[in-house]
């Protein structure tokens, strides 16, 4: 099988073919870092050797690219820790090893040379440089979370965020909420935009004024809520990132608001601390079987916190907080199975587009007035 062309290498390295030629031939006036990077990409693609891009490694890769290049440990987020456990188990069941990449490596040239058969990308944002590099190299990709700019043939696994958001808002309205705020607006991935659009549409349909509070992972005290809590201009909050529930609880306590009597709360999260006990109950993320035990639960927000403080040992909340689970184990199993199918010439390719895993609303005391 023929090796990569200069055009293939240029596309993967995101440079011109002239730059590739100079780098490989030792000519031209290139910076040493550029010359080295192009040569690394060429070697990874099999240029000048018998190795080709189709050489199998028996390895799948997994990366969270929402904040690629930022030094944050996404494995401390319960959603990701649970998803990773299920992804590894599913990869092993299909005969693959699983390589998990740290978020900070997303800002490096690693993606141009990484030896994997396929990649699972979580929360791919707009203008994802990691995704560009993988596409250029022709490496199959399956997404956890709908990509912001899907290409024909792309495969992803996600929740129906619009339907889930409406379910949460209807639940809060049925409990008596009249002024529901959305705690969101941090990430650039599809999840955040989909939830925000659904919230604004619901508010328009119900004659409510949208109140979007910007999430900040460093706002442990929930100062972003000071204005709306001080003037009592909101009586419920839907927090779409895992730390958001604790930020709301901290701000409510500071303003003397009782939950659920004065303020209703729903948080997208897998963190068992929100159920008031801190104990993972093994509730299935698939239907009917126990979810694999993992290092924690996920925040139901594609629920991903972003870079920010997290000690991994959060205490149980009081009262117990209503959560939305995005069911990370089910998503991981479906996504890795789809990726394995893409790589297996015997199996039929998965249908392009999205596979929907229903999210699950878990009502608790924080959204039930009269139960506080």
């Amino acid at each position: 099988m023929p090796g990569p062309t200069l055009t293939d290498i240029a596309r993967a390295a995101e440079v011109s073919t002239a730059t590739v030629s100079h780098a490989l031939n030792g000519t031209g006036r290139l910076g040493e870092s550029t010359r080295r990077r192009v040569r690394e990409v060429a070697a990874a693609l099999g240029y000048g050797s018998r190795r080709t891009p189709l050489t199998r490694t028996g390895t799948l890769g997994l990366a969270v690219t929402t904040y690629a290049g930022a030094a944050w440990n996404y494995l401390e987020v319960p959603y990701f820790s649970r998803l990773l456990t299920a992804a590894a188990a599913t990869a092993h069941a299909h005969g693959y090893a699983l390589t998990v990449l740290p978020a900070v490596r997303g800002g490096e040239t690693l993606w141009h040379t990484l030896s994997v058969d396929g990649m699972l990308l979580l929360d791919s944002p707009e203008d994802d440089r990691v995704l560009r590099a993988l596409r250029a190299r022709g490496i199959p990709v399956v997404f956890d979370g709908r990509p912001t700019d899907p290409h024909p043939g792309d495969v992803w696994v996600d929740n129906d965020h619009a339907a889930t958001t409406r379910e949460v808002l209807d639940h809060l309205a049925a409990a008596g909420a009249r002024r529901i705020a959305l705690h969101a607006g941090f990430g650039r991935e599809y999840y955040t935009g989909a939830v925000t659009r659904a919230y604004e549409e619901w508010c328009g349909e119900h004659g409510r004024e949208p109140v979007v509070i910007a999430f900040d992972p460093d706002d442990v005290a929930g100062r972003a809520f000071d204005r709306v809590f001080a003037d009592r201009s909101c009586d419920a909050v839907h927090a779409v990132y895992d730390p958001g529930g604790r930020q709301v609880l901290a701000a409510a306590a500071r303003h003397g608001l009782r939950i659920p009597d004065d303020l209703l709360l729903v948080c997208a999260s897998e963190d068992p601390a929100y159920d008031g006990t801190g104990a993972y109950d093994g509730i299935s993320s698939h239907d009917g079987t126990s979810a694999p035990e993992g290092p924690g639960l996920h925040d139901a927000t594609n629920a991903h916190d972003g870079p920010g403080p997290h000690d991994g040992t959060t205490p149980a909340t009081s009262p117990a907080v209503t959560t939305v689970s995005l069911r990370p184990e089910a998503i991981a199993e479906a996504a890795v199975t789809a990726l394995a199918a893409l790589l297996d010439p015997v199996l039929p390719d998965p249908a392009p587009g999205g596979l929907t895993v229903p999210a699950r609303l878990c009502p608790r005391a924080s959204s039930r007035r009269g139960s506080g």
Side-chain angles (χ1 to χ4, degrees), residues 41-336:
V41 171
L45 293 177
Y47 183 82
S49 73
R50 293 182 180 181
R51 186 180 184 276
T52 74
L54 296 180
T55 300
R56 290 301 181 90
T57 66
T59 300
L60 304 180
L62 181 150
V64 181
T65 59
T66 310
Y67 314 105
W72 68 291
N73 183 6
Y74 56 83
L75 294 180
E76 292 181 338
V77 181
Y79 174 87
F80 293 120
S81 63
R82 289 180 61 180
L83 184 142
L84 175 59
T85 299
T90 306
H92 295 168
H94 286 281
Y96 289 95
L98 182 69
T99 296
V100 181
L101 282 300
V104 70
R105 302 299 296 274
E108 303 175 10
T109 59
L110 167 71
W111 305 103
H112 299 286
T113 59
L114 184 67
S115 294
V116 293
D117 296 336
M119 283 289 301
L120 177 60
L121 293 188
L122 281 61
D123 288 353
S124 176
E126 293 177 336
D127 195 29
D128 187 344
R129 61 184 298 181
V130 175
L131 176 58
R132 287 204 312 273
L134 296 172
R135 287 196 195 280
R137 293 178 59 193
I139 293 178
V141 175
V142 169
F143 301 86
D144 165 10
R146 184 183 189 275
T148 56
D149 182 24
H151 287 199
D154 278 351
V155 177
W156 63 88
V157 183
D158 206 350
N159 312 103
D160 186 338
H161 298 301
T164 302
T165 300
R166 287 177 173 273
E167 181 182 7
V168 169
L169 298 174
D170 288 343
H171 170 76
L172 290 170
R178 295 293 176 265
R179 301 175 302 280
I180 305 170
L182 182 72
H183 192 207
F186 184 73
R188 295 183 297 117
E189 77 287 353
Y190 176 80
Y191 165 76
T192 297
V195 171
T196 303
R197 286 190 296 274
Y199 166 76
E200 292 173 341
E201 290 171 1
W202 186 94
C203 287
E205 293 166 6
H206 291 78
R208 314 284 180 93
E209 186 68 26
V211 178
V212 179
I213 308 294
F215 171 76
D216 178 348
D218 296 319
D219 184 18
V220 178
R223 297 291 178 185
F225 294 95
D226 282 350
R227 181 185 62 80
V228 295
F229 284 2
D231 63 15
R232 303 302 195 261
S233 57
C234 93
D235 60 2
V237 177
H238 175 25
V240 304
Y241 299 103
D242 183 80
R246 292 182 184 82
Q247 294 179 10
V248 172
L249 292 173
R254 191 169 59 253
H255 287 272
L257 295 175
R258 298 167 301 164
I259 295 176
D261 297 336
D262 303 318
L263 182 71
L264 300 173
L265 171 62
V266 174
C267 180
S269 179
E270 310 294 341
D271 192 335
Y274 279 123
D275 71 9
T277 67
Y280 175 41
D281 60 9
I283 291 176
S284 172
S285 283
H286 312 60
D287 287 324
T289 60
S290 292
E293 292 187 5
L297 272 131
H298 152 97
D299 76 286
T301 111
N302 232 352
H304 313 160
D305 326 25
H310 185 89
D311 62 10
T313 56
T314 49
T317 61
S318 180
V321 173
T322 295
T323 57
V324 175
S325 170
L326 298 186
R327 302 176 60 214
E329 289 91 352
I331 286 179
E333 182 178 345
V336 174

